[in-house]
Amino acid sequence: MGAHVPTCEAPPPTKTTPPGRPRRAPRAETVLAVDDEPTIRQLLRTALEGLGFRVLLADSGARALEIIETEPFDLALVDMSMPGMSGEALLAALAQRFPQTPFIAMSGHGEDELRERMAAAGLSVTLLAKPFGLHDLDAAVEGALARRAPGPA
């Protein structure tokens, strides 16, 4: 068997739809979702594709930075607690390169402290507390996209 290679999961949208939910029409936006947990990545893919988005998945901050070299995105959804490059470090790197792009920070704890650190770093992010449901994810994504600055990412 070969060595483990980090995944770049960016195939065309599949026909997956959350149970009991109608699939939305395809949208033009692409969401970069970054989480080190495979189950969370798959749930994000299923939910976001069901909402009509094209989805790029990364299992680490470093992998996300590799993906964005060749894949454009309209929104980044980033887990704050990852080994290696932290979610905060990734958001800072993304915001420096793509200041017009909206960001969502996913966190399971310390949202008030995280909000303060993000503001102190000059980062404007939407916070999404874990655990969250499909409605929460949909509202966070739609809200972030509605508040994005005009212009290219």
Side-chain angles (χ1 to χ4, degrees), residues 84-109:
M85 175 183 260
S86 71
E88 289 181 54
L90 175 60
L91 285 174
L94 292 173
Q96 184 175 6
R97 288 185 61 188
F98 306 99
Q100 310 299 333
T101 301
F103 305 108
I104 298 174
M106 299 180 290
S107 179
H109 50 75

Side-chain angles (χ1 to χ4, degrees), residues 26-114:
R27 298 177 56 142
E29 294 98 348
T30 297
V31 176
L32 171 65
V34 187
D35 199 299
D36 60 309
E37 295 190 34
T39 303
I40 300 297
R41 284 194 310 275
Q42 188 54 46
L43 288 171
L44 288 171
R45 174 196 296 277
T46 300
L48 292 166
E49 286 180 350
L51 294 171
F53 295 100
R54 178 173 178 259
V55 180
L56 304 172
L57 295 177
D59 59 3
S60 68
R63 185 67 188 127
L65 293 176
E66 290 174 10
I67 291 170
I68 65 168
E69 290 299 319
T70 58
E71 296 284 345
F73 66 100
D74 301 288
L75 169 78
L77 184 65
V78 178
D79 181 30
M80 292 293 95
S81 180
M82 296 186 292
M85 175 183 260
S86 71
E88 289 181 54
L90 175 60
L91 285 174
L94 292 173
Q96 184 175 6
R97 288 185 61 188
F98 306 99
Q100 310 299 333
T101 301
F103 305 108
I104 298 174
M106 299 180 290
S107 179
H109 50 75
E111 285 80 23
D112 290 335
E113 181 182 315
L114 177 60

